[in-house]
Amino acid sequence: MQNRLLSALPPEDYRLVAPHLTHVDLERGRLLYEPGDRIDTIYFPHDGVISLMTLMENGAAIESATIGREGALGLMGAVSPRQSLSRAIVQTPTRAARIGASQLHEAWEKSAKIRELIDMHTEALFGHAVQSVACNALHSVEARFCRWLLTCHDRIASDTVALTQEFLADMLGVQRTTVTAVARALLEKGYIRYRRGVVDIISREGLEAVSCECYDVVRRNYERLLPQPKVDQARG
Amino acid sequence: MQNRLLSALPPEDYRLVAPHLTHVDLERGRLLYEPGDRIDTIYFPHDGVISLMTLMENGAAIESATIGREGALGLMGAVSPRQSLSRAIVQTPTRAARIGASQLHEAWEKSAKIRELIDMHTEALFGHAVQSVACNALHSVEARFCRWLLTCHDRIASDTVALTQEFLADMLGVQRTTVTAVARALLEKGYIRYRRGVVDIISREGLEAVSCECYDVVRRNYERLLPQPKVDQARG
DNA sequence: GCACTTGTGTCGAGTTCTCGACAGTCTTTC
DNA sequence: GAAAGACTGTCGAGAACTCGACACAAGTGC
């Protein structure tokens, strides 16, 4: 399993970045950026989920987009020096390749393909955000809960997601008690199981039925804009 | 009053686009893009407000970002051919300069300054979207109503905004009856007046007090990222 | 002037979610 | 093994908003 942006690079473009890529294992809960931080490192996840969270003055934080193996964190920092707008936090244990912003910037200057990928990624991430704007205004917590689980499920290699209800409540911007109620409803429908700090996905179909359309809209956007995994090969 | 992106261009860069700019007056309600439309024209508003709206399958539509004289509509289409993700609709009567995407693309290839401005604009628009994600999840309709009015007020030359409560309900993604109730509350506080299809802003200070922080966060983002108006000159 | 369309005011029942509180359970640490 | 900390279950009052309905008012076209 490999980051899709990196594996989409033709060999000559990949050679521009390869010498500067280092592997990193990111544990759950690790903070990669806070709002205002200078973006000096770009992370290309091979698996796992990184959340972008918007922070409010009163300390409330809510997820505004997620990044998985189809994308990268901090990519816009390769175009020009930039501050993070969000908090970036590691959602599930994540293996990633990372590279310094200035080094990726040099590759960006040399490679049209890299410029194109960054451009398309920005567009897809923007699409993710605008869909979430609508989703948060219009859809029920239950639908958003399912959407969140499905998006996460796509990006990890397991049917088991390690997270607490309290944490998920933060992501969705609702009370913990509301998450408990929704989780119970989905449990009774047989779509998930859960225990302390863990959710098991039993029925993707069930979750898709309860989820709002936003899950699919965002996924199709990524598919349309970004390179899809090749079934016959993988660069390890 | 002039579009800030255009007026920030140094003369030699402006000369690249000037021959292709044509003036257009956009009436309220005019649809500029629907989701999936190819972006073939970029609009630089001199005043007025253009809304980006995310559409749902059931026909619901909600505003995900707005564009005024500090930005442009369709700018990403100058980088590479692109589909609109949103509906773009003219909110208030708008004077704008427009240019074909392919023509702006040519200027984009030649001018580093133009590339930089488009890049910064994309970042600011992304910041607008992620803030709105949080705002829609966490803040009351009353706060969002005020935020919307303030943002609009910044971009027009008048204290009078022409819009119906029904339309604003769509923008905010709530029931019309809720907008009526909120409008009444603000009227009683003396912050606005209104009649059929018109809202008058009486007290910006009042609206700012009721509005959420999101108004200011987004505004400061634009100020940080994009060129600010010069007080001593204007290019007509 | 009249019919028609569109926008606003109001009402009330119902749903969703908040917010605070507290008990119970699981895990970690010493 | 005991204590402490973290996570979950549940309850209940209350606020915010939905949703449908209907009356009224203000413009619009003929």
Side-chain angles (χ1 to χ4, degrees):
Chain A
M1 201 169 326
Q2 173 79 7
N3 180 269
R4 289 191 192 160
L5 292 180
L6 290 179
S7 61
L9 284 178
E12 68 269 28
D13 303 282
Y14 185 69
R15 272 195 290 274
L16 293 171
V17 297
H20 308 294
L21 290 172
T22 57
H23 185 86
V24 58
D25 285 306
L26 302 167
E27 72 280 13
R28 182 173 156 219
R30 169 98 165 260
L31 282 172
L32 300 176
Y33 286 110
E34 288 284 348
D37 285 358
R38 203 168 58 82
I39 296 180
D40 52 7
T41 308
I42 291 95
Y43 297 84
F44 295 88
H46 299 314
D47 56 10
V49 179
I50 297 171
S51 287
L52 296 183
M53 305 192 67
T54 301
L55 265 65
M56 292 293 170
E57 285 165 1
N58 67 3
I62 184 173
E63 183 180 88
S64 46
T66 59
I67 290 172
R69 67 170 176 272
E70 78 297 326
L73 171 64
L75 257 196
M76 317 234 254
V79 178
S80 64
R82 202 153 303 191
Q83 292 178 20
S84 181
L85 297 168
S86 319
R87 166 179 290 171
I89 185 172
V90 178
Q91 198 64 245
T92 70
T94 297
R95 300 179 306 111
R98 78 171 162 200
I99 184 172
S102 59
Q103 286 151 345
L104 186 55
H105 180 74
E106 284 176 25
W108 175 87
E109 286 183 316
K110 292 176 189 158
S111 161
K113 181 70 182 173
I114 289 176
R115 289 196 294 275
E116 183 203 328
L117 278 179
I118 291 179
D119 183 40
M120 288 295 118
H121 177 267
T122 301
E123 178 82 353
L125 202 58
F126 182 73
H128 191 150
V130 296
Q131 193 71 31
S132 296
V133 173
C135 188
N136 282 351
L138 299 173
H139 297 150
S140 69
V141 175
E142 188 176 39
R144 285 159 54 204
F145 182 113
C146 293
R147 178 191 169 199
W148 197 95
L149 272 186
L150 289 169
T151 303
C152 187
H153 190 218
D154 285 344
R155 288 164 172 177
I156 60 178
S158 158
D159 291 339
T160 298
V161 186
L163 49 61
T164 67
Q165 295 184 2
E166 201 144 18
F167 192 76
L168 189 47
D170 265 3
M171 291 293 116
L172 299 176
V174 299
Q175 296 282 115
R176 203 249 322 150
T177 50
T178 304
V179 170
T180 302
V182 168
R184 181 179 190 76
L186 293 173
L187 177 69
E188 283 167 2
K189 288 177 188 151
Y191 299 162
I192 63 172
R193 272 199 303 261
Y194 59 93
R195 53 197 184 281
R196 191 187 173 82
V198 177
V199 176
D200 293 311
I201 294 172
I202 306 299
S203 163
R204 261 193 78 92
E205 298 68 38
L207 293 179
E208 284 172 8
V210 179
S211 167
C212 49
E213 68 205 74
C214 300
Y215 164 68
D216 222 44
V217 169
V218 171
R219 195 173 52 75
R220 286 202 308 267
N221 246 333
Y222 275 102
E223 285 175 3
R224 178 172 66 84
L225 291 166
L226 291 173
Q228 290 310 295
K230 307 177 187 99
V231 285
D232 52 348
Q233 65 156 335
R235 178 156 54 210
Chain B
M1 200 169 325
Q2 173 80 6
N3 180 270
R4 289 190 193 162
L5 292 181
L6 290 180
S7 61
L9 285 177
E12 67 269 27
D13 303 281
Y14 185 70
R15 271 195 288 275
L16 293 172
V17 296
H20 308 295
L21 290 174
T22 56
H23 184 86
V24 59
D25 285 305
L26 302 167
E27 73 280 15
R28 181 172 157 219
R30 168 98 165 259
L31 282 172
L32 299 176
Y33 286 111
E34 287 285 345
D37 285 358
R38 201 168 60 80
I39 295 180
D40 53 6
T41 307
I42 292 94
Y43 297 84
F44 295 88
H46 298 314
D47 57 10
V49 179
I50 297 171
S51 286
L52 296 183
M53 306 192 67
T54 300
L55 264 63
M56 292 293 172
E57 286 166 359
N58 66 4
I62 183 174
E63 184 180 88
S64 46
T66 58
I67 290 172
R69 66 170 177 271
E70 77 297 326
L73 170 65
L75 257 196
M76 318 233 254
V79 178
S80 65
R82 203 152 303 191
Q83 293 176 19
S84 180
L85 297 168
S86 321
R87 166 179 291 172
I89 185 172
V90 178
Q91 199 64 247
T92 69
T94 297
R95 299 178 308 111
R98 79 172 162 197
I99 185 173
S102 59
Q103 286 152 344
L104 187 55
H105 180 73
E106 284 176 25
W108 175 87
E109 286 183 315
K110 292 175 190 159
S111 162
K113 181 70 182 174
I114 289 176
R115 288 196 294 275
E116 184 203 327
L117 278 180
I118 291 180
D119 184 41
M120 289 296 116
H121 177 266
T122 301
E123 178 82 352
L125 202 58
F126 182 73
H128 191 151
V130 298
Q131 193 71 31
S132 296
V133 172
C135 187
N136 282 351
L138 299 172
H139 297 151
S140 69
V141 174
E142 187 176 38
R144 286 158 54 206
F145 182 113
C146 292
R147 178 191 169 201
W148 196 96
L149 272 187
L150 289 169
T151 303
C152 187
H153 190 217
D154 284 344
R155 288 164 172 177
I156 61 178
S158 158
D159 290 342
T160 297
V161 187
L163 48 60
T164 66
Q165 295 185 3
E166 201 144 21
F167 193 76
L168 189 48
D170 265 3
M171 291 293 116
L172 299 176
V174 298
Q175 297 282 115
R176 202 251 321 154
T177 51
T178 305
V179 170
T180 301
V182 168
R184 182 176 189 76
L186 293 173
L187 177 70
E188 283 167 3
K189 287 176 188 151
Y191 300 163
I192 63 172
R193 271 198 304 258
Y194 60 94
R195 52 195 185 282
R196 190 187 174 81
V198 176
V199 177
D200 293 311
I201 295 173
I202 306 300
S203 163
R204 262 194 77 93
E205 297 69 38
L207 293 179
E208 283 171 8
V210 178
S211 167
C212 49
E213 69 205 76
C214 300
Y215 163 69
D216 221 43
V217 169
V218 170
R219 195 174 51 76
R220 285 202 307 266
N221 246 333
Y222 274 102
E223 285 175 2
R224 179 172 65 84
L225 292 165
L226 290 174
Q228 290 311 296
K230 307 176 188 98
V231 285
D232 52 346
Q233 63 157 334
R235 179 158 50 211

PDB file of all heavy atoms in Angstrom, chain B residues 200-227:
ATOM      1  N   ASP B 200     -31.834  46.802   5.481  1.00  0.00           N
ATOM      2  CA  ASP B 200     -30.977  47.954   5.723  1.00  0.00           C
ATOM      3  C   ASP B 200     -30.108  47.681   6.938  1.00  0.00           C
ATOM      4  O   ASP B 200     -30.602  47.290   7.991  1.00  0.00           O
ATOM      5  CB  ASP B 200     -31.812  49.214   6.001  1.00  0.00           C
ATOM      6  CG  ASP B 200     -32.592  49.675   4.785  1.00  0.00           C
ATOM      7  OD1 ASP B 200     -31.979  49.767   3.705  1.00  0.00           O
ATOM      8  OD2 ASP B 200     -33.806  49.907   4.916  1.00  0.00           O
ATOM      9  N   ILE B 201     -28.833  47.913   6.791  1.00  0.00           N
ATOM     10  CA  ILE B 201     -27.914  47.730   7.909  1.00  0.00           C
ATOM     11  C   ILE B 201     -27.833  49.032   8.692  1.00  0.00           C
ATOM     12  O   ILE B 201     -27.403  50.060   8.175  1.00  0.00           O
ATOM     13  CB  ILE B 201     -26.531  47.306   7.404  1.00  0.00           C
ATOM     14  CG1 ILE B 201     -26.648  45.928   6.749  1.00  0.00           C
ATOM     15  CG2 ILE B 201     -25.521  47.277   8.544  1.00  0.00           C
ATOM     16  CD1 ILE B 201     -25.408  45.449   6.057  1.00  0.00           C
ATOM     17  N   ILE B 202     -28.277  48.995   9.941  1.00  0.00           N
ATOM     18  CA  ILE B 202     -28.307  50.194  10.780  1.00  0.00           C
ATOM     19  C   ILE B 202     -27.053  50.274  11.647  1.00  0.00           C
ATOM     20  O   ILE B 202     -26.465  51.315  11.817  1.00  0.00           O
ATOM     21  CB  ILE B 202     -29.548  50.182  11.712  1.00  0.00           C
ATOM     22  CG1 ILE B 202     -30.822  49.993  10.898  1.00  0.00           C
ATOM     23  CG2 ILE B 202     -29.613  51.462  12.529  1.00  0.00           C
ATOM     24  CD1 ILE B 202     -31.085  51.057   9.878  1.00  0.00           C
ATOM     25  N   SER B 203     -26.672  49.126  12.200  1.00  0.00           N
ATOM     26  CA  SER B 203     -25.549  49.133  13.132  1.00  0.00           C
ATOM     27  C   SER B 203     -24.590  47.984  12.833  1.00  0.00           C
ATOM     28  O   SER B 203     -24.833  46.837  13.202  1.00  0.00           O
ATOM     29  CB  SER B 203     -26.071  49.008  14.572  1.00  0.00           C
ATOM     30  OG  SER B 203     -25.018  48.626  15.441  1.00  0.00           O
ATOM     31  N   ARG B 204     -23.489  48.321  12.191  1.00  0.00           N
ATOM     32  CA  ARG B 204     -22.467  47.303  11.948  1.00  0.00           C
ATOM     33  C   ARG B 204     -21.926  46.771  13.266  1.00  0.00           C
ATOM     34  O   ARG B 204     -21.678  45.568  13.415  1.00  0.00           O
ATOM     35  CB  ARG B 204     -21.295  47.899  11.162  1.00  0.00           C
ATOM     36  CG  ARG B 204     -21.319  47.654   9.681  1.00  0.00           C
ATOM     37  CD  ARG B 204     -19.970  47.981   9.057  1.00  0.00           C
ATOM     38  NE  ARG B 204     -19.009  46.946   9.308  1.00  0.00           N
ATOM     39  CZ  ARG B 204     -18.787  45.929   8.472  1.00  0.00           C
ATOM     40  NH1 ARG B 204     -19.458  45.836   7.356  1.00  0.00           N
ATOM     41  NH2 ARG B 204     -17.898  45.008   8.757  1.00  0.00           N
ATOM     42  N   GLU B 205     -21.756  47.662  14.241  1.00  0.00           N
ATOM     43  CA  GLU B 205     -21.210  47.249  15.530  1.00  0.00           C
ATOM     44  C   GLU B 205     -22.116  46.182  16.158  1.00  0.00           C
ATOM     45  O   GLU B 205     -21.637  45.187  16.699  1.00  0.00           O
ATOM     46  CB  GLU B 205     -21.101  48.450  16.478  1.00  0.00           C
ATOM     47  CG  GLU B 205     -20.146  49.541  15.997  1.00  0.00           C
ATOM     48  CD  GLU B 205     -20.663  50.279  14.763  1.00  0.00           C
ATOM     49  OE1 GLU B 205     -21.884  50.516  14.679  1.00  0.00           O
ATOM     50  OE2 GLU B 205     -19.856  50.576  13.873  1.00  0.00           O
ATOM     51  N   GLY B 206     -23.410  46.443  16.091  1.00  0.00           N
ATOM     52  CA  GLY B 206     -24.350  45.473  16.640  1.00  0.00           C
ATOM     53  C   GLY B 206     -24.231  44.126  15.958  1.00  0.00           C
ATOM     54  O   GLY B 206     -24.163  43.077  16.611  1.00  0.00           O
ATOM     55  N   LEU B 207     -24.181  44.159  14.640  1.00  0.00           N
ATOM     56  CA  LEU B 207     -24.083  42.908  13.893  1.00  0.00           C
ATOM     57  C   LEU B 207     -22.784  42.178  14.216  1.00  0.00           C
ATOM     58  O   LEU B 207     -22.762  40.956  14.342  1.00  0.00           O
ATOM     59  CB  LEU B 207     -24.165  43.179  12.390  1.00  0.00           C
ATOM     60  CG  LEU B 207     -25.511  43.702  11.880  1.00  0.00           C
ATOM     61  CD1 LEU B 207     -25.449  43.965  10.377  1.00  0.00           C
ATOM     62  CD2 LEU B 207     -26.636  42.719  12.187  1.00  0.00           C
ATOM     63  N   GLU B 208     -21.717  42.943  14.363  1.00  0.00           N
ATOM     64  CA  GLU B 208     -20.434  42.310  14.678  1.00  0.00           C
ATOM     65  C   GLU B 208     -20.470  41.644  16.052  1.00  0.00           C
ATOM     66  O   GLU B 208     -19.845  40.603  16.263  1.00  0.00           O
ATOM     67  CB  GLU B 208     -19.302  43.358  14.631  1.00  0.00           C
ATOM     68  CG  GLU B 208     -18.902  43.711  13.207  1.00  0.00           C
ATOM     69  CD  GLU B 208     -17.944  44.888  13.132  1.00  0.00           C
ATOM     70  OE1 GLU B 208     -17.452  45.344  14.185  1.00  0.00           O
ATOM     71  OE2 GLU B 208     -17.692  45.368  12.004  1.00  0.00           O
ATOM     72  N   ALA B 209     -21.214  42.247  16.959  1.00  0.00           N
ATOM     73  CA  ALA B 209     -21.297  41.671  18.303  1.00  0.00           C
ATOM     74  C   ALA B 209     -22.074  40.355  18.284  1.00  0.00           C
ATOM     75  O   ALA B 209     -21.746  39.419  19.014  1.00  0.00           O
ATOM     76  CB  ALA B 209     -21.960  42.664  19.256  1.00  0.00           C
ATOM     77  N   VAL B 210     -23.099  40.293  17.458  1.00  0.00           N
ATOM     78  CA  VAL B 210     -23.916  39.077  17.416  1.00  0.00           C
ATOM     79  C   VAL B 210     -23.280  38.015  16.520  1.00  0.00           C
ATOM     80  O   VAL B 210     -23.427  36.812  16.746  1.00  0.00           O
ATOM     81  CB  VAL B 210     -25.345  39.410  16.923  1.00  0.00           C
ATOM     82  CG1 VAL B 210     -26.193  38.156  16.817  1.00  0.00           C
ATOM     83  CG2 VAL B 210     -26.006  40.420  17.842  1.00  0.00           C
ATOM     84  N   SER B 211     -22.557  38.470  15.508  1.00  0.00           N
ATOM     85  CA  SER B 211     -21.932  37.545  14.563  1.00  0.00           C
ATOM     86  C   SER B 211     -20.898  36.670  15.249  1.00  0.00           C
ATOM     87  O   SER B 211     -20.349  37.019  16.288  1.00  0.00           O
ATOM     88  CB  SER B 211     -21.256  38.349  13.453  1.00  0.00           C
ATOM     89  OG  SER B 211     -20.409  37.530  12.687  1.00  0.00           O
ATOM     90  N   CYS B 212     -20.628  35.539  14.651  1.00  0.00           N
ATOM     91  CA  CYS B 212     -19.557  34.694  15.176  1.00  0.00           C
ATOM     92  C   CYS B 212     -18.206  35.226  14.697  1.00  0.00           C
ATOM     93  O   CYS B 212     -18.129  36.089  13.836  1.00  0.00           O
ATOM     94  CB  CYS B 212     -19.745  33.244  14.736  1.00  0.00           C
ATOM     95  SG  CYS B 212     -20.060  33.044  12.968  1.00  0.00           S
ATOM     96  N   GLU B 213     -17.153  34.654  15.264  1.00  0.00           N
ATOM     97  CA  GLU B 213     -15.802  35.076  14.942  1.00  0.00           C
ATOM     98  C   GLU B 213     -15.439  34.802  13.484  1.00  0.00           C
ATOM     99  O   GLU B 213     -14.468  35.357  12.957  1.00  0.00           O
ATOM    100  CB  GLU B 213     -14.833  34.326  15.846  1.00  0.00           C
ATOM    101  CG  GLU B 213     -14.770  32.820  15.521  1.00  0.00           C
ATOM    102  CD  GLU B 213     -14.331  31.961  16.686  1.00  0.00           C
ATOM    103  OE1 GLU B 213     -15.173  31.763  17.576  1.00  0.00           O
ATOM    104  OE2 GLU B 213     -13.187  31.498  16.693  1.00  0.00           O
ATOM    105  N   CYS B 214     -16.215  33.945  12.832  1.00  0.00           N
ATOM    106  CA  CYS B 214     -15.852  33.494  11.486  1.00  0.00           C
ATOM    107  C   CYS B 214     -15.757  34.657  10.499  1.00  0.00           C
ATOM    108  O   CYS B 214     -14.931  34.639   9.576  1.00  0.00           O
ATOM    109  CB  CYS B 214     -16.863  32.469  10.987  1.00  0.00           C
ATOM    110  SG  CYS B 214     -16.931  31.009  12.049  1.00  0.00           S
ATOM    111  N   TYR B 215     -16.605  35.658  10.685  1.00  0.00           N
ATOM    112  CA  TYR B 215     -16.538  36.816   9.811  1.00  0.00           C
ATOM    113  C   TYR B 215     -15.131  37.396   9.813  1.00  0.00           C
ATOM    114  O   TYR B 215     -14.518  37.609   8.767  1.00  0.00           O
ATOM    115  CB  TYR B 215     -17.547  37.875  10.263  1.00  0.00           C
ATOM    116  CG  TYR B 215     -17.275  39.231   9.682  1.00  0.00           C
ATOM    117  CD1 TYR B 215     -17.453  39.467   8.319  1.00  0.00           C
ATOM    118  CD2 TYR B 215     -16.784  40.262  10.477  1.00  0.00           C
ATOM    119  CE1 TYR B 215     -17.168  40.691   7.769  1.00  0.00           C
ATOM    120  CE2 TYR B 215     -16.499  41.496   9.933  1.00  0.00           C
ATOM    121  CZ  TYR B 215     -16.692  41.712   8.585  1.00  0.00           C
ATOM    122  OH  TYR B 215     -16.408  42.914   8.042  1.00  0.00           O
ATOM    123  N   ASP B 216     -14.624  37.594  10.994  1.00  0.00           N
ATOM    124  CA  ASP B 216     -13.328  38.250  11.129  1.00  0.00           C
ATOM    125  C   ASP B 216     -12.173  37.337  10.709  1.00  0.00           C
ATOM    126  O   ASP B 216     -11.204  37.796  10.095  1.00  0.00           O
ATOM    127  CB  ASP B 216     -13.140  38.662  12.592  1.00  0.00           C
ATOM    128  CG  ASP B 216     -12.523  40.031  12.699  1.00  0.00           C
ATOM    129  OD1 ASP B 216     -12.954  40.928  11.938  1.00  0.00           O
ATOM    130  OD2 ASP B 216     -11.607  40.202  13.511  1.00  0.00           O
ATOM    131  N   VAL B 217     -12.291  36.084  11.021  1.00  0.00           N
ATOM    132  CA  VAL B 217     -11.236  35.136  10.652  1.00  0.00           C
ATOM    133  C   VAL B 217     -11.052  35.112   9.135  1.00  0.00           C
ATOM    134  O   VAL B 217      -9.926  35.195   8.629  1.00  0.00           O
ATOM    135  CB  VAL B 217     -11.580  33.718  11.165  1.00  0.00           C
ATOM    136  CG1 VAL B 217     -10.642  32.675  10.564  1.00  0.00           C
ATOM    137  CG2 VAL B 217     -11.512  33.674  12.691  1.00  0.00           C
ATOM    138  N   VAL B 218     -12.153  35.016   8.424  1.00  0.00           N
ATOM    139  CA  VAL B 218     -12.074  34.942   6.960  1.00  0.00           C
ATOM    140  C   VAL B 218     -11.556  36.258   6.383  1.00  0.00           C
ATOM    141  O   VAL B 218     -10.702  36.269   5.488  1.00  0.00           O
ATOM    142  CB  VAL B 218     -13.449  34.585   6.367  1.00  0.00           C
ATOM    143  CG1 VAL B 218     -13.440  34.738   4.853  1.00  0.00           C
ATOM    144  CG2 VAL B 218     -13.835  33.162   6.745  1.00  0.00           C
ATOM    145  N   ARG B 219     -12.021  37.361   6.932  1.00  0.00           N
ATOM    146  CA  ARG B 219     -11.592  38.659   6.429  1.00  0.00           C
ATOM    147  C   ARG B 219     -10.087  38.841   6.623  1.00  0.00           C
ATOM    148  O   ARG B 219      -9.362  39.275   5.720  1.00  0.00           O
ATOM    149  CB  ARG B 219     -12.367  39.770   7.153  1.00  0.00           C
ATOM    150  CG  ARG B 219     -12.284  41.135   6.486  1.00  0.00           C
ATOM    151  CD  ARG B 219     -13.197  42.144   7.170  1.00  0.00           C
ATOM    152  NE  ARG B 219     -12.994  42.181   8.606  1.00  0.00           N
ATOM    153  CZ  ARG B 219     -11.971  42.767   9.212  1.00  0.00           C
ATOM    154  NH1 ARG B 219     -11.061  43.367   8.491  1.00  0.00           N
ATOM    155  NH2 ARG B 219     -11.877  42.755  10.526  1.00  0.00           N
ATOM    156  N   ARG B 220      -9.624  38.489   7.810  1.00  0.00           N
ATOM    157  CA  ARG B 220      -8.187  38.632   8.069  1.00  0.00           C
ATOM    158  C   ARG B 220      -7.355  37.725   7.168  1.00  0.00           C
ATOM    159  O   ARG B 220      -6.257  38.084   6.757  1.00  0.00           O
ATOM    160  CB  ARG B 220      -7.884  38.332   9.548  1.00  0.00           C
ATOM    161  CG  ARG B 220      -8.301  39.459  10.475  1.00  0.00           C
ATOM    162  CD  ARG B 220      -7.528  39.390  11.793  1.00  0.00           C
ATOM    163  NE  ARG B 220      -7.634  38.069  12.399  1.00  0.00           N
ATOM    164  CZ  ARG B 220      -8.531  37.721  13.305  1.00  0.00           C
ATOM    165  NH1 ARG B 220      -9.418  38.615  13.728  1.00  0.00           N
ATOM    166  NH2 ARG B 220      -8.554  36.513  13.802  1.00  0.00           N
ATOM    167  N   ASN B 221      -7.896  36.558   6.881  1.00  0.00           N
ATOM    168  CA  ASN B 221      -7.216  35.648   5.954  1.00  0.00           C
ATOM    169  C   ASN B 221      -7.030  36.305   4.590  1.00  0.00           C
ATOM    170  O   ASN B 221      -5.953  36.231   3.995  1.00  0.00           O
ATOM    171  CB  ASN B 221      -8.049  34.382   5.775  1.00  0.00           C
ATOM    172  CG  ASN B 221      -7.342  33.179   6.331  1.00  0.00           C
ATOM    173  OD1 ASN B 221      -6.111  33.154   6.389  1.00  0.00           O
ATOM    174  ND2 ASN B 221      -8.102  32.192   6.739  1.00  0.00           N
ATOM    175  N   TYR B 222      -8.093  36.903   4.100  1.00  0.00           N
ATOM    176  CA  TYR B 222      -7.999  37.577   2.801  1.00  0.00           C
ATOM    177  C   TYR B 222      -6.982  38.702   2.863  1.00  0.00           C
ATOM    178  O   TYR B 222      -6.178  38.890   1.953  1.00  0.00           O
ATOM    179  CB  TYR B 222      -9.366  38.110   2.363  1.00  0.00           C
ATOM    180  CG  TYR B 222     -10.213  37.102   1.642  1.00  0.00           C
ATOM    181  CD1 TYR B 222     -11.252  36.452   2.287  1.00  0.00           C
ATOM    182  CD2 TYR B 222      -9.985  36.793   0.298  1.00  0.00           C
ATOM    183  CE1 TYR B 222     -12.041  35.509   1.627  1.00  0.00           C
ATOM    184  CE2 TYR B 222     -10.760  35.874  -0.375  1.00  0.00           C
ATOM    185  CZ  TYR B 222     -11.797  35.232   0.298  1.00  0.00           C
ATOM    186  OH  TYR B 222     -12.555  34.311  -0.360  1.00  0.00           O
ATOM    187  N   GLU B 223      -7.022  39.434   3.960  1.00  0.00           N
ATOM    188  CA  GLU B 223      -6.090  40.562   4.086  1.00  0.00           C
ATOM    189  C   GLU B 223      -4.640  40.098   4.122  1.00  0.00           C
ATOM    190  O   GLU B 223      -3.760  40.736   3.557  1.00  0.00           O
ATOM    191  CB  GLU B 223      -6.409  41.366   5.359  1.00  0.00           C
ATOM    192  CG  GLU B 223      -7.645  42.230   5.209  1.00  0.00           C
ATOM    193  CD  GLU B 223      -8.014  42.931   6.500  1.00  0.00           C
ATOM    194  OE1 GLU B 223      -7.279  42.779   7.505  1.00  0.00           O
ATOM    195  OE2 GLU B 223      -9.047  43.624   6.522  1.00  0.00           O
ATOM    196  N   ARG B 224      -4.418  38.990   4.791  1.00  0.00           N
ATOM    197  CA  ARG B 224      -3.061  38.478   4.909  1.00  0.00           C
ATOM    198  C   ARG B 224      -2.546  37.959   3.568  1.00  0.00           C
ATOM    199  O   ARG B 224      -1.378  38.146   3.219  1.00  0.00           O
ATOM    200  CB  ARG B 224      -3.044  37.349   5.941  1.00  0.00           C
ATOM    201  CG  ARG B 224      -1.700  36.690   6.151  1.00  0.00           C
ATOM    202  CD  ARG B 224      -1.732  35.714   7.326  1.00  0.00           C
ATOM    203  NE  ARG B 224      -2.615  34.582   7.100  1.00  0.00           N
ATOM    204  CZ  ARG B 224      -2.266  33.474   6.435  1.00  0.00           C
ATOM    205  NH1 ARG B 224      -1.056  33.365   5.921  1.00  0.00           N
ATOM    206  NH2 ARG B 224      -3.122  32.492   6.284  1.00  0.00           N
ATOM    207  N   LEU B 225      -3.437  37.314   2.820  1.00  0.00           N
ATOM    208  CA  LEU B 225      -2.983  36.589   1.632  1.00  0.00           C
ATOM    209  C   LEU B 225      -3.040  37.410   0.354  1.00  0.00           C
ATOM    210  O   LEU B 225      -2.264  37.177  -0.572  1.00  0.00           O
ATOM    211  CB  LEU B 225      -3.825  35.318   1.450  1.00  0.00           C
ATOM    212  CG  LEU B 225      -3.607  34.242   2.518  1.00  0.00           C
ATOM    213  CD1 LEU B 225      -4.718  33.202   2.472  1.00  0.00           C
ATOM    214  CD2 LEU B 225      -2.254  33.567   2.319  1.00  0.00           C
ATOM    215  N   LEU B 226      -3.960  38.359   0.307  1.00  0.00           N
ATOM    216  CA  LEU B 226      -4.183  39.045  -0.961  1.00  0.00           C
ATOM    217  C   LEU B 226      -3.864  40.521  -0.850  1.00  0.00           C
ATOM    218  O   LEU B 226      -3.911  41.100   0.240  1.00  0.00           O
ATOM    219  CB  LEU B 226      -5.633  38.844  -1.413  1.00  0.00           C
ATOM    220  CG  LEU B 226      -5.941  37.410  -1.850  1.00  0.00           C
ATOM    221  CD1 LEU B 226      -7.422  37.245  -2.134  1.00  0.00           C
ATOM    222  CD2 LEU B 226      -5.122  37.031  -3.080  1.00  0.00           C
ATOM    223  N   PRO B 227      -3.539  41.149  -1.984  1.00  0.00           N
ATOM    224  CA  PRO B 227      -3.155  42.557  -1.975  1.00  0.00           C
ATOM    225  C   PRO B 227      -4.283  43.426  -1.450  1.00  0.00           C
ATOM    226  O   PRO B 227      -5.440  43.223  -1.754  1.00  0.00           O
ATOM    227  CB  PRO B 227      -2.889  42.855  -3.454  1.00  0.00           C
ATOM    228  CG  PRO B 227      -3.544  41.757  -4.213  1.00  0.00           C
ATOM    229  CD  PRO B 227      -3.535  40.566  -3.328  1.00  0.00           C
TER     230      PRO B 227
END
